[in-house]
């Protein structure tokens, strides 16, 4: 017996090792833990390669090795063995292995350095035919260097100037140079090495710009996702083909401007401006004068804004902004600022020129202010219907690396950066004095507020402070000694919370125990911060299935990604998760102990490259309950056959010899894509069970459990075999021994392995995926509650108790206390920017609140919320709105704005501008609101705090 046990143990080890193709012996879990922990702490260094690993596989590995201190109970458990590294969940297309869009670090994947990847592959192997996802570390920023792994490469569309219709898409890193692109294009279009070439980018339908600096990076050159790049080959007579176009144009002029030679770290200063060709006309397309070019570091503006419809005249300010690749967030914020009259007048009248602060260490040498000024002048010139803010975006990306790429960002975050950057670039204070903060110590609020405002103005004095800054009053009270601390702080915008929903809607699929019923999809209402048990109770009310008989699972790629416990929080379930609830009955009257097993469908495949076999998962997994004393291969075969008989059709002869085989359990695979197959290595350890079938009776209204076994009847053939596998279904743990009681634990995982021919003949794919929709999905959803803007303001000014992780240090008690905190508004600015906090974040949950907030178009009275007793009248009218449509991290930004020339409303959607009416403006998409104070000219002088406008210390 000892010899047999040892043999089984050795065979199990061989089976696990077979999952790692060519992998050497794995060290023990402690060594794996230590080695990976050190490598994952490696700092990012430019040029290094890092690898993406699917978060699902990585979490499974962490469980197996006990990586997290709070999750060590299953260390080394064979059922947790992760199998070969599997990134199939990251691919949108299994064949091309192209990445899904909008993948998020630490939520969809983890990044590991090269050495860590090599170790994981050596220990576990990787799925056959699956290419590693390797990406380079890229450095962003000009002054503040910022490294990040470039997960999404930039797609450029390459073509020859002589054949612009033959376009080839290629991907490049933002750190690649123009020379790299040229080399690739020479190879793609078979251009001889001796031929001279030059590159052009096309960023509008009729606008081309020469890429004249080979050592410029893709990022510095301002190339964006989807940009068309042309390569032009010099003629044999030493002329360029495009020169012939210019010669034919009667308006052809070729101007090459040279910027001032003043030193600058900008790659755009002290260089020759590249020429731009628009419809065969070579010019700088902006008409710069020497004052624009003479300031150090600003030479880049010579061809920043190439425009369409240059011959046509339009209303000043009604100028769209081209989308450069996920830049709608920037366009929305810019249109709102552009339609802020006092700020736009300041730039159009060139008042900024005398106030640019190039020496402010907190600023950007005036370059953000100058870039913004040039863009505003172009928008308000009345000559173009739209412009491409390409160089403005490049400048922003140089100083704020988070905006340097082409992924969707937040319009409010860009707005905050831009207001701060403009303030520091235009700060009239050349040398900021050191100021010591004083405690209120019982002094009157008016005195402390005046002191705080004057101190703020001693260090911060700009057009942004004049227009956008206000003053908060913050009151903290110690719960122990009743110490009251009052401070006054400036702000630049109000971030208002929205009243949180108390519940959420979830769509789940209920898999009934009755083998004749298809799964049914339900929509249930559950508490926002509820538990899995709340979901079961809610589902029980409309389905009639007892809550205690439910098991809630997250199904992903034909396997159970997670099986939830009743006390787990619903915040672990993301909106995109496919949630299946299985009806699994509890022990019946005879007191038998039941075990619930997970069952996966696998198809055996043969590799083309070798004679080894592998498997792919398919179909919808099962959950079955079986009495422990009947855990044999014969009995399991009968039980599984019973559950799947709705969509596995046996030959007639077998049906006649198998009384229960026509009663199938409903386990459809709604929401699980059949195409998402994943291949695993394995050894065929499943045993062919005895060719007998158990006749079973199902009691308790057809629950998924077997209570009796009658006479075994002969069966011609078993159509599948069993393997004991890990919870990921990628590797076998042990062989299944026929004729003996199997020692399986709760939620052990079995695989039923099919050969390809049997699956094709017997498995009805269409019926397996079939499901029904409950009337709860068809019922109109309750109209969402409408919230008034004043409700948000009242919520903002409501007293709250600080959390245990955010205590306040009481100077009297000499310790941190959970004090009460209250915000009040002391003074408000001329332009009030209101940010509606629609996005909420937690470790497991990211959500957008799409509540409709009712806000007034005109006559917003803020006077009642201002606590300064000497306050004036604070009446505001709306002038602009930044909108966000869609879900968090994706979606689209637009803007509504009121034109200061004709007082009419317009809708700005990237390059498109259209007339709008006031009744269109208040929607659930409203995200950032811009209000202008009425008759507030007298409040521009910043002396008394109650008449000053302002906020937020921008240091």
């Amino acid at each position: 017996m000892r010899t047999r046990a040892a043999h089984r143990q050795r065979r199990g080890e061989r089976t696990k090792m077979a999952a790692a193709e060519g992998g050497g012996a794995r060290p023990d879990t402690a060594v794996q833990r230590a080695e990976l922990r050190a490598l994952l702490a490696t700092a990012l260094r430019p040029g290094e390669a890092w690898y993406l690993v699917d978060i699902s596989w990585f979490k499974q590995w962490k469980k197996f090795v006990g990586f997290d201190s709070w999750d060590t109970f299953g260390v080394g458990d064979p059922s947790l063995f992760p199998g070969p590294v599997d990134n199939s969940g990251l691919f949108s297309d299994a064949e091309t292995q192209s990445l899904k869009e909008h993948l998020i670090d630490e939520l969809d994947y983890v990044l590991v350095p090269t050495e860590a990847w090599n170790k994981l592959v050596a220990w576990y192997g990787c799925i056959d035919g699956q290419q590693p996802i390797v990406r380079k570390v890229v450095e962003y920023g000009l002054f503040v260097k910022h490294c990040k792994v470039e997960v999404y490469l930039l797609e450029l569309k390459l073509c020859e100037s002589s054949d612009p219709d033959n376009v080839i898409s290629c991907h490049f890193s933002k750190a690649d140079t123009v020379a790299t692109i040229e080399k690739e294009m020479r190879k793609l279009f078979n251009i001889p090495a001796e031929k001279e070439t030059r590159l052009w980018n096309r960023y509008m339908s009729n606008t081309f710009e020469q890429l004249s600096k080979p050592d410029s990076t893709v990022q510095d050159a301002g190339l964006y996702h989807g940009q068309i790049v042309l390569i032009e080959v010099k003629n044999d007579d030493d002329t360029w083909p495009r020169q012939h176009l210019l010669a034919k144009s009667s308006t052809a002029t070729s101007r090459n401007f040279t910027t001032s030679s003043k030193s600058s770290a900008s790659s755009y200063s002290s260089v020759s401006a590249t020429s731009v060709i628009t419809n065969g006309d070579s010019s700088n397309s902006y008409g710069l004068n020497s004052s624009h070019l003479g300031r150090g570091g600003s030479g880049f503006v010579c061809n920043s804004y190439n425009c369409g419809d240059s011959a046509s005249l339009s209303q000043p300010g009604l100028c769209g902004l081209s989308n450069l690749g996920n830049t709608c967030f920037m366009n929305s914020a810019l249109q709102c600022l552009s339609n802020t009259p006092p700020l736009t007048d300041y730039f159009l009248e060139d008042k900024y020129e005398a106030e640019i602060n190039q020496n402010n260490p907190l600023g950007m040498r005036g370059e953000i202010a100058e870039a913004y000024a040039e863009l505003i002048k172009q928008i308000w010139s009345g000559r173009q219907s739209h412009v491409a803010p390409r160089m403005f975006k490049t400048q922003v990306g140089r100083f704020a690396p988070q905006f340097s790429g082409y992924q969707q960002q937040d319009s409010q975050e860009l707005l905050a950066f831009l207001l701060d950057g403009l303030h520091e670039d235009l700060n009239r204070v050349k040398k900021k004095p050191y100021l010591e903060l004083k405690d209120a110590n019982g002094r009157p609020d008016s005195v402390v507020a005046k002191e705080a405002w004057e101190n703020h103005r001693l260090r911060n004095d700009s057009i942004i402070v004049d227009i956008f800054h206000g003053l908060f009053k913050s009151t903290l009270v110690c719960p122990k000694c009743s110490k009251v601390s009052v401070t006054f702080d400036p702000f630049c915008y109000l971030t208002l919370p929205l009243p949180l929903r108390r519940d959420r809607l979830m769509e789940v699929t209920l898999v009934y125990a009755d083998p004749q019923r298809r799964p049914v999809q339900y929509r249930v209402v559950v508490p926002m911060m509820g538990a899995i048990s709340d979901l079961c109770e809610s589902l029980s009310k409309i389905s009639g299935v007892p809550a205690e008989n439910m098991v809630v699972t997250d199904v992903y790629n034909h396997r159970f990604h997670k099986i939830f416990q009743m006390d787990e929080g619903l915040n672990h379930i993301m909106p995109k998760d496919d949630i299946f609830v299985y009806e699994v009955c509890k022990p019946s009257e005879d007191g038998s102990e039941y075990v619930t097993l997970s069952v996966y469908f696998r198809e055996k495949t043969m590799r083309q490259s070798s004679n080894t076999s592998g498997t792919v998962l398919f179909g919808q997994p099962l959950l079955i309950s079986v009495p422990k004393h009947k855990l044999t291969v014969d009995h399991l075969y009968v039980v599984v056959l019973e559950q799947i008989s709705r969509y596995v059709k046996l030959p007639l002869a077998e049906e006649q010899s198998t009384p229960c085989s026509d009663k199938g359990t409903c386990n459809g695979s709604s929401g699980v894509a059949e195409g998402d197959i994943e291949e695993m290595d394995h050894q065929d350890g499943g045993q062919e069970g005895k060719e007998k079938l158990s006749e079973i009776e199902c009691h308790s209204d057809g629950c998924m459990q077997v209570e009796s076994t009658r006479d075994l009847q002969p069966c011609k053939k078993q159509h599948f075999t069993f393997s004991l596998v890990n919870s990921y279904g990628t590797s076998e743990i042990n062989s299944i021994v026929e004729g003996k009681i199997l020692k399986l634990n709760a939620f052990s995982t079995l695989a039923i392995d099919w050969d390809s021919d049997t699956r094709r003949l017997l498995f009805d794919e269409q019926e397996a995926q079939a499901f029904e929709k409950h009337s709860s999905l068809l019922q109109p959803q309750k109209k969402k509650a409408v919230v008034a803007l004043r409700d948000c303001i009242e919520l903002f000014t409501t007293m709250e108790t600080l959390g245990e992780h955010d205590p306040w240090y009481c100077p009297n008690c000499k310790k941190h206390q959970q004090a009460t905190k209250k915000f009040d508004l002391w003074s408000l600015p001329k332009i009030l920017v209101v940010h509606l906090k629609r996005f909420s974040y937690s470790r497991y949950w990211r959500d957008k609140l799409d509540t409709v907030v009712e806000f007034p178009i005109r006559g917003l009275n803020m006077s009642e919320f201002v606590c300064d007793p000497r306050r004036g009248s604070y009446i505001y009218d709306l002038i602009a709105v930044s909108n966000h449509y869609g879900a968090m991290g994706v979606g689209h930004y637009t803007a509504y704005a009121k034109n200061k020339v004709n007082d009419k409303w317009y809708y700005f959607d990237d390059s498109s501008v259209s007339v709008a009416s006031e009744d269109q403006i208040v929607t659930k998409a409203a995200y950032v609101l811009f209000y202008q104070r009425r008759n507030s000219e007298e409040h521009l002088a910043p002396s008394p705090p109650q008449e000053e406008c302002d906020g937020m210390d921008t240091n």
Side-chain angles (χ1 to χ4, degrees):
M1 292 298 292
R2 187 174 302 168
T3 306
R4 271 181 153 182
H7 173 72
R8 281 198 302 270
Q9 184 178 357
R10 286 195 300 272
R11 181 174 179 182
E13 287 299 317
R14 288 197 304 271
T15 302
K16 287 190 290 184
M17 290 305 299
E21 290 182 337
R26 281 185 301 277
D28 63 34
T29 55
V31 174
Q32 292 185 50
R33 233 178 11 244
E35 291 188 8
L36 262 291
R37 197 183 301 280
L39 292 172
L40 292 175
T42 305
L44 296 176
R45 283 185 285 271
E48 289 188 343
W50 283 59
Y51 291 76
L52 275 70
V53 179
D54 188 300
I55 193 71
S56 300
W57 185 92
F58 194 71
K59 284 182 176 178
Q60 187 78 11
W61 172 80
K62 287 171 72 175
K63 284 182 180 180
F64 180 66
V65 302
F67 190 84
D68 298 312
S69 58
W70 44 266
D71 193 12
T72 58
F73 61 89
V75 175
D77 185 344
S79 67
L80 297 176
F81 184 72
V85 180
D86 183 5
N87 281 333
S88 56
L90 302 180
F91 299 134
S92 59
D93 186 317
E95 282 194 26
T96 62
Q97 296 188 11
S98 53
L99 281 186
K100 292 177 179 176
E101 294 183 359
H102 312 302
L103 295 176
I104 298 174
D105 188 15
E106 301 291 343
L107 187 70
D108 299 301
Y109 63 86
V110 293
L111 291 162
V112 301
T114 300
E115 191 177 349
W117 170 263
N118 290 339
K119 286 183 181 293
L120 289 174
V121 172
W123 297 338
Y124 296 94
C126 58
I127 296 298
D128 186 46
Q130 202 174 91
Q131 296 300 314
I133 309 173
V134 59
R135 295 293 186 265
K136 290 288 183 66
V137 177
V138 177
E139 192 172 50
Y140 293 83
L142 182 63
F143 302 119
V144 180
K145 296 299 182 183
H146 172 76
C147 289
K148 65 180 180 181
V149 178
E150 188 181 23
V151 174
Y152 289 98
L153 299 177
L154 200 68
E155 182 185 30
L156 298 179
K157 299 183 181 299
L158 312 178
C159 62
E160 292 181 279
S161 179
S162 59
D163 186 11
D165 294 329
N166 179 27
V167 176
I168 300 176
S169 294
C170 282
H171 291 83
F172 295 92
S173 164
K174 297 180 185 70
D176 285 338
T177 62
V178 171
T180 305
I181 300 174
E182 183 177 16
K183 182 179 178 181
E184 182 65 22
M185 293 184 75
R186 279 179 172 275
K187 187 168 67 174
L188 285 172
F189 299 114
N190 299 314
I191 299 172
E194 65 273 10
K195 287 284 189 180
E196 191 177 342
T197 59
R198 60 183 183 180
L199 300 189
W200 299 83
N201 67 25
R202 186 176 85 185
Y203 47 89
M204 290 180 61
S205 60
N206 59 351
T207 307
F208 300 82
E209 179 183 34
Q210 186 181 345
L211 298 170
S212 58
K213 294 194 291 182
D215 57 344
S216 286
T217 64
V218 168
Q219 177 176 292
D220 289 340
L223 299 178
Y224 57 85
H225 192 78
Q227 177 125 42
I228 295 177
V229 177
L230 298 90
I231 188 165
E232 183 184 18
V233 182
K234 201 170 193 179
N235 295 326
D236 292 335
D237 60 359
D238 279 345
T239 61
W240 293 100
R242 286 190 171 270
Q243 286 179 341
H244 297 299
L245 293 175
L246 297 179
K248 294 175 183 177
S249 172
S250 60
T251 59
T253 57
S254 180
R255 308 172 195 167
N256 282 311
F257 295 93
T258 303
T259 66
S260 165
S261 60
K262 290 182 182 179
S263 63
S264 168
S266 168
S267 62
Y268 297 95
S269 64
S270 192
V271 297
S272 175
T274 57
S275 59
V276 176
I277 293 179
T278 305
N279 285 340
D281 181 15
S282 176
S283 73
N284 74 329
S285 81
Y286 194 77
L288 296 176
N289 55 39
S290 59
S291 66
H292 292 124
L293 296 173
R295 189 172 286 117
S298 63
F300 71 91
V301 300
C302 64
N303 50 19
S304 300
Y305 309 109
N306 301 287
C307 340
D309 304 329
S310 57
S312 63
L313 296 177
S314 61
Q315 171 76 38
L318 303 187
C319 179
L321 297 173
S322 299
N323 192 318
L324 306 179
N326 282 331
T327 57
C328 56
F329 73 96
M330 179 182 76
N331 296 344
S332 174
L334 286 172
Q335 293 291 9
C336 291
L337 281 180
S338 170
N339 286 280
T340 301
L343 183 64
T344 293
D345 291 343
Y346 170 85
F347 281 101
L348 292 179
E349 294 166 11
D350 290 333
K351 293 180 180 178
Y352 71 96
E353 291 186 342
E355 296 186 343
I356 283 185
N357 188 340
Q358 293 183 336
N359 301 315
N360 184 354
L362 298 177
M364 292 131 201
R365 300 182 318 184
E367 293 187 32
I368 289 294
E370 288 189 324
Y372 181 76
E374 296 299 337
L375 179 57
I376 288 298
K377 288 177 181 179
Q378 189 73 0
I379 290 174
W380 287 87
S381 68
R383 293 194 298 269
Q384 288 85 28
S385 63
H386 62 278
V387 299
R390 203 165 54 88
M391 296 313 300
F392 174 79
K393 182 191 181 302
T394 300
Q395 287 295 83
V396 169
R398 291 167 63 225
F399 296 101
Q402 65 270 32
F403 301 119
S404 62
Y406 291 89
Q407 293 195 30
Q408 185 68 277
Q409 303 285 349
D410 189 310
S411 66
Q412 187 272 330
E413 290 178 4
L414 176 76
L415 185 67
F417 161 77
L418 195 50
L419 290 176
D420 182 52
L422 290 174
H423 161 65
E424 295 296 359
D425 271 4
L426 300 169
N427 199 344
R428 301 165 189 133
V429 179
K430 306 302 179 184
K431 187 175 181 180
K432 297 189 177 186
Y434 172 76
L435 299 172
E436 190 169 336
L437 297 177
K438 298 178 183 178
D439 194 72
N441 284 331
R443 291 182 294 163
D445 283 351
S446 57
V447 173
V448 181
K450 186 174 186 296
E451 179 182 84
W453 183 254
E454 289 175 348
N455 285 344
H456 178 59
R457 293 305 294 254
L458 286 172
R459 293 173 57 83
N460 303 280
D461 184 14
S462 71
I463 183 66
I464 302 300
V465 176
D466 296 342
I467 296 174
F468 291 97
H469 283 203
L471 206 60
F472 279 140
K473 175 187 175 183
S474 175
T475 306
L476 286 158
V477 180
C478 178
K480 301 297 182 183
C481 69
S482 300
K483 160 73 177 175
V484 178
S485 173
V486 177
T487 56
F488 290 85
D489 302 293
F491 68 90
C492 194
Y493 49 85
L494 282 180
T495 295
L496 300 182
L498 273 62
L500 286 176
R501 294 174 299 187
R502 292 186 173 86
D503 51 43
R504 62 184 274 210
L505 291 174
M506 291 183 65
E507 291 185 6
V508 300
T509 302
L510 177 60
V511 181
Y512 285 95
D514 182 352
Q516 297 183 1
R517 295 190 66 175
R518 286 179 173 177
V520 178
Q521 196 173 28
Y522 291 88
R523 180 182 290 140
V524 294
V525 180
V526 295
M528 179 65 75
M529 301 308 293
I532 295 296
S533 57
D534 296 310
L535 168 60
C536 294
E537 290 292 345
S538 181
L539 183 58
S540 176
K541 289 178 183 177
I542 57 177
S543 68
V545 174
E548 61 271 18
N549 289 2
M550 295 181 181
V551 176
V552 180
T553 71
D554 177 3
V555 175
Y556 177 71
N557 275 0
H558 317 287
R559 61 171 69 93
F560 292 119
H561 178 61
K562 185 173 178 59
I563 297 178
F564 295 95
Q565 301 299 316
M566 283 294 186
D567 58 352
E568 287 190 73
L570 289 173
N571 57 354
H572 289 70
I573 298 178
M574 302 292 289
K576 65 178 182 179
D577 292 342
D578 286 320
I579 301 301
F580 286 79
V581 181
Y582 288 79
E583 180 187 5
V584 179
C585 287
K586 302 304 176 186
S588 56
E589 305 80 30
D590 62 1
S592 301
E593 186 177 357
Y594 283 78
V595 60
T596 301
L597 304 174
S598 305
V599 179
Y600 296 164
F601 292 83
R602 299 197 307 183
E603 178 183 345
K604 298 175 186 176
T605 60
M606 292 299 295
R607 303 186 190 287
Q608 296 178 353
S609 57
S610 65
N611 291 326
T612 59
S613 63
T615 59
V616 291
L617 291 176
F618 70 95
Q620 177 75 14
L622 308 174
L623 277 182
I624 59 173
S625 285
V626 183
K628 268 195 171 182
H629 68 278
K630 294 182 180 178
L631 275 177
T632 63
V633 171
D634 298 322
H635 197 73
L636 283 174
Y637 184 85
V638 174
V639 173
V640 171
L641 203 60
E642 172 74 7
Q643 309 306 327
I644 65 178
S645 60
R646 178 174 57 88
Y647 46 90
V648 173
K649 303 303 181 183
L650 299 181
L652 184 60
E654 293 189 33
E655 289 184 0
Q656 291 173 347
S657 65
T658 312
C660 280
S661 64
D662 60 341
K663 303 178 192 172
T665 299
C666 178
N667 285 286
S669 75
S670 159
V672 181
E674 171 57 36
D676 297 339
I677 61 173
E678 305 164 49
E679 190 165 313
M680 287 74 69
D681 293 319
H682 78 290
Q683 290 184 354
D684 291 327
Q687 297 290 321
E688 292 286 340
K690 295 180 181 178
E691 295 188 353
K692 298 177 182 179
L693 287 175
S694 302
E695 180 184 338
I696 54 178
E697 289 183 352
C698 298
H699 301 290
S700 302
D701 296 321
C703 290
M704 287 187 193
Q705 65 182 34
V706 182
E707 298 184 356
S708 64
T709 303
R710 296 182 180 175
D711 298 331
L712 297 178
Q713 299 182 9
C715 175
K716 293 183 179 179
K717 176 187 176 185
Q718 283 205 342
H719 301 289
F720 51 81
T721 58
F722 289 96
S723 301
L724 184 61
V725 297
N726 65 338
S727 60
Y728 210 57
T730 52
S731 61
E732 297 178 15
I733 297 170
N734 222 327
S735 57
I736 300 292
V737 182
E738 62 180 80
K740 293 194 173 184
I741 299 295
L742 304 175
K743 295 181 179 178
L744 301 177
N745 301 319
F747 298 110
S748 291
T749 306
L750 294 174
I752 54 175
D753 295 322
W754 302 65
D755 62 58
S756 300
D757 291 337
T758 304
R759 175 188 172 186
R760 187 174 64 256
L761 289 171
L762 303 183
F763 196 89
D764 186 339
E765 307 281 354
Q766 186 172 354
E767 180 60 30
Q769 296 182 31
F771 68 98
E772 297 173 0
K773 291 190 175 184
H774 185 259
S775 57
S776 57
L777 287 168
L778 308 176
Q779 293 172 356
Q781 298 185 32
K782 291 182 180 178
K783 190 175 180 180
K784 295 183 181 295
V786 176
V787 175
L789 183 62
R790 65 176 296 111
D791 297 333
C792 301
I793 300 171
E794 288 172 354
L795 185 60
F796 174 77
T797 56
T798 299
M799 182 181 294
E800 62 176 351
T801 301
L802 297 178
E804 58 179 327
H805 300 296
D806 184 30
W808 169 65
Y809 183 80
C810 176
N812 277 5
C813 300
K814 305 295 183 187
K815 62 185 293 189
H816 287 90
Q817 302 284 11
Q818 284 183 253
T820 59
K821 183 175 185 177
K822 187 179 189 304
F823 277 125
D824 290 295
L825 303 174
W826 183 264
S827 67
L828 295 178
K830 181 177 183 180
I831 300 296
L832 177 63
V833 180
V834 177
H835 165 221
L836 301 176
K837 195 174 180 181
R838 291 195 177 276
F839 301 116
S840 59
Y841 307 81
S842 74
R843 181 176 178 184
Y844 301 102
W845 179 260
R846 298 166 302 146
D847 191 24
K848 179 188 175 186
L849 303 174
D850 56 0
T851 308
V852 176
V853 178
E854 293 278 9
F855 51 89
I857 305 296
R858 59 177 63 84
L860 171 64
N861 190 346
M862 294 292 292
S863 304
E864 62 179 293
F865 298 107
V866 177
C867 62
D868 179 4
R870 295 176 297 172
R871 66 178 180 271
S873 173
Y874 286 96
I875 308 295
Y876 289 86
D877 295 319
L878 189 72
I879 56 171
V881 179
S882 174
N883 302 305
H884 177 265
Y885 300 91
M888 196 175 110
V890 290
H892 184 57
Y893 286 91
T894 65
Y896 286 108
K898 188 177 183 180
N899 185 272
K900 68 186 182 72
V901 177
N902 62 15
D903 281 341
K904 291 182 180 178
W905 282 93
Y906 294 89
Y907 183 62
F908 297 85
D909 185 354
D910 288 334
S911 57
S912 170
V913 182
S914 56
V915 177
S917 59
E918 290 187 0
D919 57 3
Q920 295 176 297
I921 297 170
V922 179
T923 69
K924 66 178 183 180
Y927 182 41
V928 183
L929 315 176
F930 284 67
Y931 280 96
Q932 183 171 17
R933 188 176 174 185
R934 289 183 185 174
N935 304 319
S936 55
E937 286 76 15
E938 67 273 17
H939 297 288
L940 284 178
S943 311
Q946 73 273 14
E947 294 183 341
E948 276 316 322
C949 28
D950 212 303
M952 196 167 95
D953 187 350
T954 49
N955 289 354

